[in-house]
Amino acid sequence: MDASRIREHMKVIGADGAEVGVVDRVEGDRIKLTKASSGQGSHKGHHHFVPLRLVADIDGDNVRLSANGSVAVTM
C-alpha cells in the first residue's frame, strides 16, 4: 500500500461499508481523520486516527479498510 496515494478529503470506509471518517492527512503510520467527520458522543469534536496497516485498498476517492468501521478507530 502506497500511503502517498492517500489525499485530503478522501472517505475512509470500513470493511463493513460503514463510513469511518474523512482524511485530514497522513501522519507517520496513521491516517488522521477530520474532527468534523469522526467520533460520536463524548468522542466527537477531536481527531481520530486509523493505522495505515488497516488499509486494504485505495479505490478512487475512498480508502477501504480491512477492519469494520466500528473497530478501526479503536485500534
Side-chain angles (χ1 to χ4, degrees), residues 4-63:
S4 68
R5 294 179 52 207
I6 300 173
R7 300 176 317 278
E8 186 178 4
H9 302 299
M10 293 178 92
K11 288 183 183 177
V12 179
I13 300 172
D16 56 353
E19 188 171 326
V20 175
V22 175
V23 174
D24 185 14
R25 66 178 163 256
V26 174
E27 288 187 355
D29 62 349
R30 307 181 301 173
I31 298 171
K32 183 177 184 179
L33 303 175
T34 62
K35 286 182 189 179
S37 72
S38 65
Q40 295 179 1
S42 64
H43 292 284
K44 194 149 186 77
H46 61 270
H47 293 283
H48 286 85
F49 295 86
V50 176
L52 283 174
R53 64 182 161 77
L54 294 182
V55 176
D57 190 28
I58 298 171
D59 172 25
D61 287 333
N62 298 313
V63 176

